[in-house]
Amino acid sequence: CSVVPPYCTRRFNSDFDEYFQGQDYSFGDCGFEWSSVFFVPFKIVCEAVMLNLFIGMILDNFSFVIDEDDRLSDTLTEHIDSIVAAFKNHDRKTATFPTNALFSFLTEID
């Protein structure tokens, strides 16, 4: 938050640094002593806002998925029933599926 000398330049002018080339300014890049008083609450508020946005997006997506499941529950059951019926046609009572029958299995599913 607050950079102090010798790690900063008090003023950007030729009086402070003999190798300085450019326009003289009345300010430098040293920090303000009370900057942590402003920075810490700002950081906490920003983190709280971002956390609330993130949680809000997750909850909104959960509600969308739950509403979609209610609308699609009948369709989902029909799809599962057609997959089970197609699997029973290709099952050899071993609970395994032959790979050469995969194409015909996929074409049977509605």
Side-chain angles (χ1 to χ4, degrees):
C1 290
S2 178
V3 181
V4 294
Y7 302 109
C8 67
T9 305
R10 291 183 190 269
R11 285 196 182 97
F12 293 115
N13 59 22
S14 57
D15 294 338
F16 184 74
D17 185 8
E18 61 193 47
Y19 300 107
F20 180 77
Q21 296 176 353
Q23 186 176 358
D24 288 344
Y25 293 106
S26 62
F27 58 87
D29 60 356
C30 290
F32 181 61
E33 294 143 2
W34 293 90
S35 61
S36 59
V37 173
F38 299 108
F39 178 73
V40 172
F42 176 74
K43 187 172 181 331
I44 290 172
V45 167
C46 288
E47 287 176 356
V49 167
M50 293 305 291
L51 182 64
N52 284 332
L53 287 173
F54 183 70
I55 291 172
M57 284 179 28
I58 291 173
L59 292 176
D60 187 44
N61 285 329
F62 275 135
S63 68
F64 177 74
V65 168
I66 289 171
D67 292 343
E68 187 174 314
D69 283 346
D70 290 341
R71 287 181 277 146
L72 299 177
S73 62
D74 296 332
T75 309
L76 184 64
T77 306
E78 292 172 7
H79 283 286
I80 291 174
D81 291 340
S82 68
I83 292 170
V84 168
F87 186 80
K88 285 182 181 178
N89 291 339
H90 295 284
D91 188 24
R92 297 181 185 165
K93 305 297 184 210
T94 61
T96 60
F97 193 80
T99 54
N100 58 355
L102 182 61
F103 181 74
S104 61
F105 170 73
L106 291 176
T107 55
E108 283 184 34
I109 298 173
D110 293 335

